[in-house]
Amino acid sequence: MRFQLAILPGDGIGPEVVSEAVRVLRVLSHFSDCEFICNERPIGGAAIRAHGTPLPEHTLQACLKSDAVFLGAVGAAEFDHLPTQQKPEAGLLGLRTALGGFANLRPVASFPAIADCSPLQRSRLKGVDVLFVRELLGGLYFAQPRGFDHEGDSAFNTMRYSRHEIERVARIAFEQARTRRRKVTSVDKANVLETSQLWRRTVTRIAEDYPDVKLEHMYVDACAMHLISDPARFDVVLTENLFGDILSDEASAITGSLGMLASATIGGSVDLYEPVHGSAPDIAGQGIANPLGAIASAAMLLRLSAGMHHEANDLEAAINQVLEEGYCTHDLARPGKHVVSTSEMGELVQQRFAEMLDRRFAYHAV
Ligand code: NAD
C-alpha cells in the first residue's frame, strides 16, 4: 500500500517533533508493504518567510491531493505585529477550512509511568481515558459578523451553529463511543446560550439513533470542575469549538505535559493529524521538545486513515513501554528518571515499535 502524506513541519519545535513521527512511521515499511510517500511543504511562519503567505497555494494543493496531512505547529513572535489574516495561525485555520474536517479528536489518558508529573493525585488518575470530540469549523472562531467598531473601542464575535453542523459532529462522537465505553457527555451552556439550547436538543435527537450509548448533558462550567475532581467519570466528551479548545487544554494537565497529547481532525476531504501543543518558541532549537504527542498522532493516523489498527496499538504500546522503562524528555524530568533528547526519545520509540512489529509478523509467519 502506498500512502501519500503531506508533511507540514511549521514553526518552532514543529520540525523537531514531526521528523521523529515520520521516522517512526517509516519503520513500518520494513515489516509490511505499507510505504509512506512524504511530501514536505511549508506552512505558518516558515511559509511567510519563504513565500510571503502562511498558506501557499502549493502547500494547500499538496494537502488536498494527499491521503492524510501531518502537521507540527505554527506560530512565531516575529509575526505578532501582522493583521490576524496574515499571521502564521491564519495558515492553519485556512488549511482546516479547506480540508473540511469538522471533528477534532483529542484523546487524554493517564500514563501510570508519569503519574507523578500530573498535578492531580495518583488516586484520581486511575482509569482516566477521555476522548474529546470538539466541533472545529463553527462557533465563535468562524461565524460572521466579527470585528472591531467605534475605532477599535469595541469588538464583537458571533456564536452561531446550525443543526446540520451539530448533527454531523454528534454522530462522530457516538460512533467513537461505540468503540470505547459507550458513554457521551455533551457539554454546553444551555442555561444561558441559544446556540447551546439548539446543541442540546440536536444531540438528544441524534442519541436516539444510538440506544446502546449512554448520553449525559453537562454545563461547561461544571465540566471544567469535574475534569479536575473526577476525570475518570468521562468517556467521550462532545462539545463546540471554544469550549472544546479550553476544556481539552485543561485536561492535558492530567497527563503531565502538553507535549504528550495527540489529535486528529476528521470528517472532511483529507484528515489532518497534529500534536495538540503549539510551536513552543521558548524551547525551540534546543533538542529538548517532547515528540510523543506527535508520535501518538502518527498512531491515530495509522488507526483512522490507514486502517492499521494493530500497528496503531503497537505504536501506543511502544510509547508506554519507553515511559515505563524510565525514559523521559525535559518536560517530564524528575529524580531517578533518564532524561533524553527529542531525537533519542524518537529513536527509543522506533526501536520498541520495531520489536513489537517483529514479534507480530513473526507470530503470523508461524
Ligand atoms: P505552546 O503549546 O507552544 O507552549 C506552551 C508551553 O508548553 C510552553 O512552555 C512550551 O515549552 C511547552 N510545550 C509545548 N509543547 C511541548 C513539547 N512538545 N515538549 C515540551 N514542552 C512543550 O503554547 P503557547 O506558548 O501558548 O504558544 C506558542 C505559539 O504556538 C503561539 O504562536 C501560538 O499561537 C502557537 N500555537 C499553535 C498551535 C498549533 O499550531 N496547533 C497550537 C497552540 C499554539
Side-chain angles (χ1 to χ4, degrees), residues 148-166:
F148 294 94
D149 57 13
H150 302 116
E151 296 176 347
D153 277 349
S154 73
F156 52 97
N157 294 90
T158 303
M159 173 83 104
R160 181 186 296 276
Y161 270 107
S162 69
R163 193 154 48 85
H164 167 68
E165 286 173 311
I166 301 166

Side-chain angles (χ1 to χ4, degrees), residues 13 17 71-77 80 89 92 96 257-260 274-283 288-291 329 331:
I13 63 169
V17 298
L71 180 127
V74 297
D80 278 355
E89 289 80 356
L92 180 52
R96 284 176 179 165
S257 169
L258 195 50
M260 292 295 299
E274 53 180 320
V276 167
H277 62 75
S279 57
D282 52 335
I283 58 166
I288 60 172
N290 184 344
T329 39
D331 50 319

Side-chain angles (χ1 to χ4, degrees), residues 104-108 129-135 169-170 172-174 176-177 180-181 183-188 199 203 215-216 218-220 223-224 226-227 230-231 233-240 243-245 247-248 251:
N104 183 229
L105 275 44
R106 293 184 173 194
V108 175
D129 181 7
V130 189
L131 177 68
F132 285 88
V133 178
R134 166 189 167 196
E135 200 292 326
V169 73
I172 290 204
F174 283 100
Q176 287 293 318
R180 298 168 49 93
R181 302 193 306 282
K183 179 177 170 190
V184 170
T185 304
S186 176
V187 176
D188 61 39
W199 183 279
V203 173
L215 169 67
E216 71 173 351
M218 192 178 280
Y219 294 136
V220 62
C223 182
H226 286 304
L227 277 172
D230 186 16
R233 67 175 282 158
F234 295 104
D235 178 16
V236 173
V237 174
L238 165 66
T239 190
E240 65 88 43
F243 298 164
D245 195 1
L247 292 176
S248 59

Side-chain angles (χ1 to χ4, degrees), residues 185-199:
T185 304
S186 176
V187 176
D188 61 39
K189 190 71 183 167
N191 50 342
V192 178
L193 301 174
E194 284 79 2
T195 43
S196 283
Q197 289 157 18
L198 178 66
W199 183 279

